[in-house]
Amino acid sequence: MADYDYDLFVIGAGSGGVRASRVAAAHGAKVAIAEEYRVGGTCVIRGCVPKKLLVYGAHFAEDLKDARRFGWNVPDCDFDWAVLRDNVLAEVDRLNGAYTHTLDNHGVEIVHERATVSGPHEVTLASGKTITAGKILIAVGARPAVPNCPGSEHGITSNEVFHLDALPKRVLIAGAGYIANEFAGIFNEFGSKVTLINRSDVILRGYDEQIRDRLLQISMTKGIDFRFHAEFRGIEKQADGSLKVSMTNHEPLEVDLVLFATGRVPNTEGLGLAEAGVELDAKGAIVVGADNRSSVDSIYAVGDVTNRVQLTPVAIREGQAFADTVFGNKPTIVDYSCIPAAVFSHPPIAGVGLTEGQAKQKYGSVRVYTSDFRAMKNVLANRNERALYKMVCEADSGKVLGLHMIGPDAPEILQAAAIAVKAGLTKADFDQTVALHPSMAEELVLMK
């Protein structure tokens, strides 16, 4: 057997890379991991974790108003963006330290510089040093896409949004996926005037149509503007520092901030992958099999860089499966069916399994059950905002094919319900479960 510096060398210390590294090390492998920025990756450093903290902060805008209906003498409150921003960034620092500590505790060597692939068993560091490894795992994730239009350098992405010096008064968000809708809700609650533009007239493609339509209605009621069939023509910086955005089918718009949320691109450029024989698809993602192996036997990939399912828990599962299969003598394949997903919009949405449209396409005949209601808290708060729960079932067996919801705490409620969908339970199983009253979650077992 060849003598290598390491049994495993991982490039990228995000969620997938960290999990793969520490599990492989626990199986007895000698492991090193290279990270050119900060340990933790997109989710921890510039993604779901700091974003969710901003979502929590934004919810207080409505909670403080609603508190008055519940007897609390709440004065008019000012919001200090810098306080929230700095507290969030401090939490990111803490998590960065925690992830680093975890790797250290598992005996994984951390290399704090960029690494590129220079052969089937070799990586080259930015310092020029070469390192050999029995297996190489690519877990470098993805980055926000930036539209190719004049003046695009004046916009920012979700990477930079956590570091803004001040809150913009007027924000234009390009895109209509989960990142766009989440930040639309955040900025709107913080008092910014938000306009969301999209090339098509569909938001949150892939989510159930009724649920996303409800979010669109509620978002517009909250004051968020939507411009559909709008593509960038360009961004011009004005003398006063504002940005003039030109687009198709609509009049130009002057704003103070442009946020691009138009998808994510695998971080494969300049990694030496093609030169090493690793197959990439048309979008630059690494093509892998069910065992996470690339076209080169010794090189594997997990997470967003493979562009399969761009979700942190999926990357973690892939990293675990890779380590268990290659170093733990426990062959494991990730099951991509019934993956729950959420959008932390205002209000949030969550879903698992097939949408109504997908179910009809696959099964032909389906039965759909819904509950359309106002949460008790919203009733007393005089907030005319309705939740919608939806269950899609196979017509004959009653098996639950999909469960979708929008309303307060929808993601928290769906996580437990997703277990039932994954397990193949039926509408009758839900019906036979006694409701937990009074709660929003009880509507899961009361749908008609």
Side-chain angles (χ1 to χ4, degrees), residues 395-412:
D396 295 330
S397 68
K399 179 183 176 181
V400 181
L401 304 174
L403 193 58
H404 312 278
M405 56 179 65
I406 178 171
D409 296 325
E412 305 292 345

Side-chain angles (χ1 to χ4, degrees), residues 23-92:
V23 174
H27 286 315
K30 184 180 181 183
V31 183
I33 187 168
E35 175 53 58
E36 63 180 321
Y37 183 51
R38 304 181 75 187
V39 173
T42 294
C43 177
V44 171
I45 305 300
R46 53 192 171 269
C48 25
V49 170
K51 182 271 312 283
K52 184 68 180 293
L53 294 174
L54 293 188
V55 169
Y56 282 133
H59 270 295
F60 282 103
E62 293 182 356
D63 289 344
L64 287 168
K65 293 177 184 176
D66 293 349
R68 293 167 178 156
R69 287 282 302 170
F70 288 84
W72 292 95
N73 186 21
V74 179
D76 289 333
C77 298
D78 295 326
F79 173 67
D80 192 329
W81 160 252
V83 171
L84 176 59
R85 177 200 63 203
D86 293 348
N87 286 341
V88 168
L89 293 178
E91 174 62 8
V92 168

Side-chain angles (χ1 to χ4, degrees), residues 285-364:
I286 299 175
V287 178
V288 293
D291 61 354
N292 299 298
R293 191 194 303 259
S294 76
S295 56
V296 177
D297 281 350
S298 56
I299 300 177
Y300 295 72
V302 298
D304 291 1
V305 74
T306 67
N307 200 28
R308 287 176 286 185
V309 179
Q310 292 191 348
L311 292 172
T312 296
V314 173
I316 291 171
R317 292 241 170 176
E318 291 171 351
Q320 178 87 39
F322 158 79
D324 284 343
T325 299
V326 177
F327 296 102
N329 197 29
K330 295 190 293 185
T332 307
I333 292 177
V334 176
D335 180 1
Y336 293 95
S337 65
C338 263
I339 297 173
V343 180
F344 294 98
S345 45
H346 284 73
I349 74 175
V352 66
L354 301 180
T355 66
E356 181 180 352
Q358 292 167 343
K360 285 179 176 177
Q361 194 170 27
K362 183 174 181 179
Y363 290 89

Side-chain angles (χ1 to χ4, degrees), residues 63-364:
D63 289 344
L64 287 168
K65 293 177 184 176
D66 293 349
R68 293 167 178 156
R69 287 282 302 170
F70 288 84
W72 292 95
N73 186 21
V74 179
D76 289 333
C77 298
D78 295 326
F79 173 67
D80 192 329
W81 160 252
V83 171
L84 176 59
R85 177 200 63 203
D86 293 348
N87 286 341
V88 168
L89 293 178
E91 174 62 8
V92 168
D93 289 343
R94 186 191 70 79
L95 290 170
N96 170 237
Y99 272 64
T100 301
H101 188 62
T102 295
L103 290 172
D104 288 339
N105 281 350
H106 284 81
V108 177
E109 182 180 341
I110 304 174
V111 179
H112 293 284
E113 55 179 306
R114 181 174 175 81
T116 57
V117 176
S118 45
H121 295 280
E122 182 182 272
V123 298
T124 300
L125 304 182
S127 58
K129 181 181 179 181
T130 59
I131 295 173
T132 59
K135 306 292 182 187
I136 297 171
L137 177 67
I138 311 299
V140 294
R143 67 181 185 279
V146 175
N148 183 20
C149 72
S152 62
E153 69 274 10
H154 298 307
I156 68 167
T157 70
S158 55
N159 286 355
E160 296 81 41
V161 75
F162 303 104
H163 303 272
L164 291 174
D165 291 333
L167 270 181
K169 292 181 178 178
R170 301 164 298 175
V171 181
L172 183 143
I173 300 177
Y178 74 96
I179 295 174
N181 280 279
E182 287 173 342
F183 278 108
I186 289 168
F187 279 118
N188 183 65
E189 296 297 335
F190 287 158
S192 301
K193 176 58 185 172
V194 178
T195 303
L196 189 149
I197 72 169
N198 190 41
R199 292 180 299 176
S200 73
D201 60 356
V202 176
I203 69 168
L204 295 171
R205 191 179 302 277
Y207 285 85
D208 188 85
E209 186 173 359
Q210 265 186 287
I211 301 296
R212 67 192 191 206
D213 282 352
R214 177 64 58 89
L215 177 64
L216 178 60
Q217 293 166 11
I218 294 174
S219 296
M220 292 173 67
T221 300
K222 290 179 184 289
I224 299 172
D225 286 340
F226 290 81
R227 290 190 176 187
F228 293 125
H229 301 295
E231 291 194 46
F232 271 105
R233 286 289 191 217
I235 306 173
E236 298 176 38
K237 192 158 190 175
Q238 307 297 290
D240 63 357
S242 64
L243 304 173
K244 184 178 181 180
V245 183
S246 303
M247 64 197 81
T248 60
N249 300 316
H250 297 271
E251 291 298 311
L253 187 67
E254 282 200 11
V255 295
D256 305 298
L257 176 72
V258 173
L259 172 62
F260 297 124
T262 50
R264 295 178 64 79
V265 182
N267 276 324
T268 51
E269 290 92 340
L271 277 183
L273 295 170
E275 295 81 354
V278 176
E279 182 185 354
L280 305 177
D281 69 12
K283 294 184 178 179
I286 299 175
V287 178
V288 293
D291 61 354
N292 299 298
R293 191 194 303 259
S294 76
S295 56
V296 177
D297 281 350
S298 56
I299 300 177
Y300 295 72
V302 298
D304 291 1
V305 74
T306 67
N307 200 28
R308 287 176 286 185
V309 179
Q310 292 191 348
L311 292 172
T312 296
V314 173
I316 291 171
R317 292 241 170 176
E318 291 171 351
Q320 178 87 39
F322 158 79
D324 284 343
T325 299
V326 177
F327 296 102
N329 197 29
K330 295 190 293 185
T332 307
I333 292 177
V334 176
D335 180 1
Y336 293 95
S337 65
C338 263
I339 297 173
V343 180
F344 294 98
S345 45
H346 284 73
I349 74 175
V352 66
L354 301 180
T355 66
E356 181 180 352
Q358 292 167 343
K360 285 179 176 177
Q361 194 170 27
K362 183 174 181 179
Y363 290 89

